[in-house]
Amino acid sequence: MHPLPTTLLTLLTMPGFAQDAAVSPVAAPTNPLLRESAYPLGAVPFDKVAPEHFPSAFDAAMARQKAVVQRITMVRSAPTFENTLVPFERSGAELERIGSIFSVFASNLSDDEVRRIQSEYASKLSKHSTDILLDPALFARVRGVYEQRDAAQLDAEAKRLIEVTYDQFVRAGAALAPEQRARVAKLTQRESELQTTFGQNDLKDTDAFRLVLEEADLAGLPQGVRDGAAETARQLGMAGKFVFTLQRPNVEDFLTYSTRRDLREQLFKAFISRGANGNDFDNRALITELVALRAERAAILGYPSHAAYITADSMARTPEAAIELLERVWRPALAQATAERARLETLLAESGVDHGLEGWDWRYYAERLRQAEYDLDPAELQPYMQLDNIRAAAFYVSGRLFDLTFTERFDLPVYHPGVRVYEVAKKDGTHVGLLYQDDFARPGKRSGAWMSSLRAQSTLDGPVTAHVTNNLNLSKPPLGKPATISMTEAETLFHELGHALHGLLSQVRYPSLSGTNVPRDYVEFMAQFMEHYVLQAEVLTQFARHGETGEPMPAALRDRFIAASKFNQGFATCEFLASALVDQMYHALSGDAAVGIEPLAFEAAAMERLGALRQIPMRHRSTHFNHIFAGGYSAGYYSYLWSEVLDADGFEAFQETGDIFHPATAKRLEAHVYSRGNTVDWMEGYKAFRGKAPSVEALLKNRGLASSGS
Ligand SMILES: [Zn+2]
């Protein structure tokens, strides 16, 4: 599960991508951000852009958008779609483009200078966006168009644009009385500052800890994990040592394989304490303030809670619908996790160990049980999982489903030498867009995996194709060796490519409705759907080939892995659901209850109320829960599970035909889902693809939770 790239800036709430022809560019010959790209396909001139270019580019773009908005409000004739919505849609183009490039610097190339600009401009951009959305003269015109939308001769997509834009103004507070409007603006601006600081604290607190080990401390760790730790040490100038950071894959590998219980405990505790260490990067006070201000803003806007405000603009529509799904899965998941714990405790007793099962033991003993029951060592799989081949597999699946080809381009600039660029086209040669693939972890790159848009598809001013980035945090292989990845990392690669395809396959007119501009509980569907293809026999037989012998992965090995994939699902489901439910609980607060909460105590009480197992902490504890406190997933972490209902049910549509690439089904999936962006109602789009509403049964079955579901 991976967040969508929440750009660390809030400007993505502003529509607009295409240039407004009426605005003549300010002469700024030295700033590459303010000039048309000279590269083929309009590719970003990453070789020319440096952090120092952003402040003046942001300033210029904000000034120009303000000027366009002012011109819209000065038109004397009655507001129409053409004289109000269309120029407004275009007005944010330049700022959006610059912000998208900046988000690459903030997420992939962060350093002190970038962080300084980010801190300064996150709040300036947030204020800019709020000023526009709360401009009474502009809102009056947008409302005028909205009220006439049924009378005007407009097609469905134009009508959708009016409704989405109008909602955006109202949700920002445009329809409020002046003093309430000002208060909402202030709260939103403060939220943006706090979110930026939260994310930066998390990066710094994660970086502040390193477990530096000698070879003698590595007992139990597979060679690939040792190589990764040696490479990390080398990059940090500690050649000869082995360094483990608090990046999740690193931590999970160590907890799964290390026989050193003392070191597992040390790493585990450091991992779950991020953001609550009482140092300069402590996030507790930020959470207290965020929860209170979100509740206050929701109340002013007329919602019972922040969760109600957020879900009103989602596929779930209400917090109750989201919580109902979470609880429906929580009950069987907790029962399953309790049974898993009992088996691990038996294993402990049989091993003659003189301690109980703790959080830092779970993965280790689960792995031993997995090996005993399924005779499966994931390290056995790894030699077959060559990164280049698995990427080729993901491209192959995209080709079979959506008729796409991926051709590497070497003539376009990249922002880091490790980044590869692919031109994506339909098999008939039609150009589709560009994919930037950034695979490896490095200092200054944030953790996790995400897709980000550099340029949104649209046809408003002629065809504009999408440029997107996909980002992973794989360990770099030792020099001269090909990179191999775990099955989980392969799933992540397919997941992010799913987001990328959603951006690339978009076929809409207005940029603010294009690609991944859909609610979060819908957007993960397109990504998680792709994950289903990793373990398919047809895919692995072709692409999972041994790095040295070239032999395909033996069918028996694959079957054992598939059988084992339902193993430990109680644990995995509970750690996710605990985070999702606590997110809902924070954001259900209102009035005095939302003021002055102490996050760790709140979290502990919530876990107690859920009856969560002590050994399974939240997947993201509050003080490093970036999704909800640094990015755009507040009251929305449930989205992954909501989307999983869709992807499980949607993949079943293919299985029912007996062909995982069934052409007619794939055509419907592209026509009604991947290409539609935000131009149709999400549930209607899904039903048009599937022929029926989604049901939760496929999800429960996939997670091995079906029998105890209720
Ligand atoms: Zn995702």
Side-chain angles (χ1 to χ4, degrees):
M1 317 209 167
H2 321 280
L4 237 215
T6 44
T7 76
L8 307 171
L9 305 167
T10 50
L11 75 151
L12 289 189
T13 57
M14 297 302 300
F17 223 97
Q19 285 289 346
D20 181 347
V23 183
S24 52
V26 171
T30 57
N31 192 331
L33 289 168
L34 293 170
R35 275 181 306 184
E36 290 262 311
S37 166
Y39 285 103
L41 305 168
V44 176
F46 280 117
D47 54 340
K48 300 192 173 63
V49 179
E52 75 246 27
H53 295 126
F54 285 98
S56 58
F58 276 136
D59 290 342
M62 283 191 279
R64 279 190 247 181
Q65 186 176 21
K66 278 233 154 116
V68 176
V69 166
Q70 202 182 9
R71 258 207 320 278
I72 296 172
T73 61
M74 281 163 38
V75 172
R76 282 204 230 123
S77 48
T80 65
F81 184 75
E82 288 302 328
N83 73 19
T84 302
L85 265 286
V86 171
F88 180 62
E89 176 75 3
R90 287 185 178 121
S91 73
E94 184 172 44
L95 192 52
E96 175 115 21
R97 179 176 58 76
I98 296 165
S100 302
I101 301 169
F102 185 71
S103 101
V104 169
F105 281 76
S107 301
N108 302 56
L109 302 167
S110 185
D111 62 16
D112 286 343
E113 188 184 5
V114 170
R115 277 190 285 272
R116 192 185 51 69
I117 298 168
Q118 193 183 356
S119 297
E120 186 184 345
Y121 277 85
S123 83
K124 282 189 184 174
L125 290 161
S126 165
K127 179 170 185 316
H128 171 78
S129 147
T130 309
D131 284 351
I132 290 175
L133 290 172
L134 297 184
D135 179 328
L138 180 62
F139 179 60
R141 292 190 69 84
V142 170
R143 181 158 56 191
V145 180
Y146 176 78
E147 283 164 354
Q148 298 297 317
R149 70 192 184 285
D150 292 323
Q153 298 291 316
L154 296 168
D155 64 17
E157 199 176 325
K159 222 181 259 184
R160 179 85 173 175
L161 180 70
I162 297 172
E163 287 165 357
V164 168
T165 307
Y166 175 77
D167 262 8
Q168 202 184 353
F169 278 83
V170 172
R171 289 176 60 78
L176 299 171
E179 65 278 12
Q180 289 180 318
R181 212 160 53 211
R183 181 67 185 157
V184 164
K186 206 171 154 206
L187 292 170
T188 299
Q189 167 124 28
R190 180 66 183 151
E191 180 189 36
S192 154
E193 290 164 12
L194 290 168
Q195 290 185 162
T196 304
T197 310
F198 189 101
Q200 293 189 348
N201 281 348
D202 180 56
L203 266 178
K204 288 188 239 173
D205 212 30
T206 299
D207 268 355
F209 177 93
R210 304 191 198 294
L211 184 62
V212 182
L213 300 179
E214 305 292 339
E215 183 141 25
D217 301 320
L218 306 182
L221 298 177
Q223 193 57 44
V225 175
R226 292 170 184 232
D227 291 347
E231 176 63 18
T232 307
R234 201 185 60 74
Q235 283 177 5
L236 292 168
M238 289 187 266
K241 306 259 186 209
F242 298 84
V243 173
F244 291 86
T245 66
L246 294 184
Q247 301 287 345
R248 177 180 295 278
N250 208 317
V251 171
E252 290 186 348
D253 279 348
F254 196 90
L255 294 176
T256 302
Y257 299 113
S258 172
T259 59
R260 284 282 298 276
R261 187 168 196 250
D262 58 330
L263 297 176
R264 289 202 312 262
E265 180 176 354
Q266 205 185 330
L267 195 62
F268 178 87
K269 286 183 171 166
F271 186 62
I272 65 167
S273 305
R274 284 168 297 144
N277 287 317
N279 55 19
D280 289 348
F281 319 131
D282 196 300
N283 273 331
R284 279 174 284 188
L286 279 66
I287 295 172
T288 307
E289 194 178 342
L290 278 165
V291 168
L293 80 76
R294 287 171 178 168
E296 183 189 346
R297 182 180 52 196
I300 297 172
L301 290 165
Y303 292 90
S305 66
H306 180 68
Y309 168 67
I310 291 295
T311 48
D313 189 33
S314 72
M315 198 169 170
R317 301 285 183 202
T318 64
E320 290 73 27
I323 291 168
E324 188 191 329
L325 171 66
L326 294 173
E327 288 186 337
R328 168 139 197 220
V329 183
W330 173 257
R331 285 188 299 270
L334 184 62
Q336 180 87 5
T338 306
E340 288 167 4
R341 182 177 65 179
R343 288 163 74 200
L344 295 180
E345 282 169 340
T346 306
L347 179 62
L348 240 70
E350 286 168 4
S351 319
V353 177
D354 63 353
H355 57 74
L357 184 79
E358 295 297 338
W360 48 94
D361 299 318
W362 189 295
R363 286 182 177 82
Y364 177 74
Y365 286 99
E367 180 55 25
R368 289 182 51 179
L369 196 60
R370 187 206 304 265
Q371 286 183 25
E373 293 196 351
Y374 298 96
D375 185 24
L376 181 81
D377 175 1
E380 258 185 277
L381 291 165
Q382 197 124 352
Y384 296 95
M385 303 292 284
Q386 310 263 329
L387 172 62
D388 285 343
N389 290 351
I390 300 306
R391 190 189 306 106
F395 290 168
Y396 166 81
V397 169
S398 312
R400 289 292 304 273
L401 288 170
F402 304 121
D403 284 330
L404 296 174
T405 62
F406 297 76
T407 310
E408 188 162 4
R409 299 263 315 218
F410 300 95
D411 56 334
L412 302 176
V414 290
Y415 55 85
H416 186 275
V419 177
R420 299 168 81 161
V421 189
Y422 299 88
E423 180 174 354
V424 185
K426 285 280 184 183
K427 283 177 181 162
D428 66 9
T430 315
H431 173 72
V432 169
L434 290 178
L435 169 67
Y436 292 72
Q437 186 78 29
D438 184 351
D439 289 326
F440 297 106
R442 60 176 176 268
K445 184 169 167 183
R446 76 177 170 91
S447 61
W450 67 98
M451 168 271 196
S452 188
S453 170
L454 287 171
R455 188 173 89 172
Q457 177 277 334
S458 73
T459 60
L460 178 58
D461 294 298
V464 173
T465 57
H467 296 175
V468 303
T469 76
N470 263 187
N471 308 275
L472 310 176
N473 263 293
L474 305 173
S475 302
K476 220 164 164 117
L479 280 174
K481 284 197 188 175
T484 61
I485 60 178
S486 70
M487 200 55 94
T488 310
E489 288 165 338
E491 282 166 357
T492 303
L493 188 155
F494 274 64
H495 177 106
E496 299 308 331
L497 188 65
H499 284 309
L501 293 173
H502 191 197
L504 290 162
L505 290 169
S506 178
Q507 289 282 352
V508 309
R509 190 182 320 139
Y510 304 105
S512 67
L513 300 182
S514 104
T516 55
N517 287 316
V518 298
R520 291 167 183 117
D521 54 1
Y522 190 52
V523 82
E524 294 303 331
F525 162 38
M526 292 44 121
Q528 293 174 176
F529 173 79
M530 287 294 285
E531 292 181 38
H532 289 274
Y533 287 85
V534 178
L535 280 172
Q536 299 303 316
E538 180 175 351
V539 176
L540 286 184
T541 315
Q542 283 187 76
F543 293 95
R545 290 181 172 270
H546 197 282
E548 276 151 28
T549 65
E551 289 294 312
M553 182 183 290
L557 179 60
R558 190 188 65 237
D559 292 346
R560 274 187 287 141
F561 185 87
I562 292 171
S565 67
K566 286 190 181 64
F567 179 76
N568 211 35
Q569 276 297 306
F571 171 92
T573 309
C574 280
E575 68 161 9
F576 166 78
L577 287 173
S579 281
L581 284 159
V582 170
D583 171 29
Q584 289 300 318
M585 291 180 202
Y586 274 122
H587 295 114
L589 297 174
S590 63
D592 289 345
V595 179
I597 55 144
E598 204 291 288
L600 296 189
F602 182 87
E603 182 187 293
M607 293 291 275
E608 169 106 37
R609 191 141 48 98
L610 289 170
L613 304 186
R614 176 169 54 86
Q615 295 88 349
I616 310 181
M618 296 160 68
R619 184 170 172 82
H620 308 279
R621 291 191 63 200
S622 307
T623 54
H624 46 260
F625 202 166
N626 274 311
H627 299 75
I628 69 166
F629 293 124
Y633 273 70
S634 63
Y637 191 63
Y638 77 92
S639 300
Y640 294 102
L641 195 77
W642 188 276
S643 286
E644 191 178 324
V645 172
L646 304 177
D647 72 68
D649 186 74
F651 187 64
E652 212 167 62
F654 285 86
Q655 288 174 312
E656 284 163 4
T657 68
D659 175 4
I660 57 169
F661 298 115
H662 190 254
T665 308
K667 275 213 161 55
R668 284 203 310 276
L669 183 63
E670 181 177 355
H672 300 294
V673 176
Y674 279 83
S675 69
R676 289 306 348 125
N678 194 13
T679 59
V680 293
D681 176 86
W682 317 296
M683 187 58 90
E684 293 311 312
Y686 185 84
K687 287 197 230 162
F689 147 62
R690 184 65 168 105
K692 69 174 185 71
S695 100
V696 72
E697 304 310 323
L699 176 152
L700 292 172
K701 195 170 71 193
N702 290 349
R703 285 185 176 247
L705 302 172
S707 53
S708 44
S710 58

